[in-house]
Amino acid sequence: MFNPLLQDLSLLKNEDIDNKINELMRKYSIAARSGQGMVCEQISVIMDAYRSEQQMRYVKTTKQFANQ
């Protein structure tokens, strides 16, 4: 899902994406414990965008190694 408030994730390093996913998981946990369902939904959408970028990079890297 496209979010206009997210930066271009393709410009980030793999480590930055991993760190952001971990940060979002912590925030999601806090929001869930606080009963903030709407906040959890928004965090989940953003986390899905980061995970999607992470998955695309993994597939690209796997294909590069397979073609060698």
Side-chain angles (χ1 to χ4, degrees):
M1 178 179 280
F2 174 73
N3 188 326
L5 300 177
L6 279 178
Q7 60 184 330
D8 184 4
L9 301 181
S10 66
L11 301 176
L12 296 175
K13 297 177 186 175
N14 289 342
E15 184 179 334
D16 294 336
I17 290 177
D18 293 340
N19 290 339
K20 190 64 174 182
I21 290 171
N22 288 333
E23 177 187 340
L24 288 168
M25 288 188 331
R26 283 191 302 273
K27 290 180 179 182
Y28 183 93
S29 178
I30 292 168
R33 285 191 306 251
S34 301
Q36 300 294 320
M38 296 298 280
V39 174
C40 288
E41 289 179 30
Q42 292 300 312
I43 292 172
S44 182
V45 168
I46 294 170
M47 197 167 17
D48 286 345
Y50 279 93
R51 285 183 174 154
S52 177
E53 178 67 25
Q54 187 180 49
Q55 182 66 23
M56 286 189 306
R57 290 180 185 201
Y58 174 77
V59 168
K60 182 179 176 182
T61 302
T62 304
K63 285 183 181 180
Q64 286 176 347
F65 281 120
N67 290 332
Q68 291 181 355

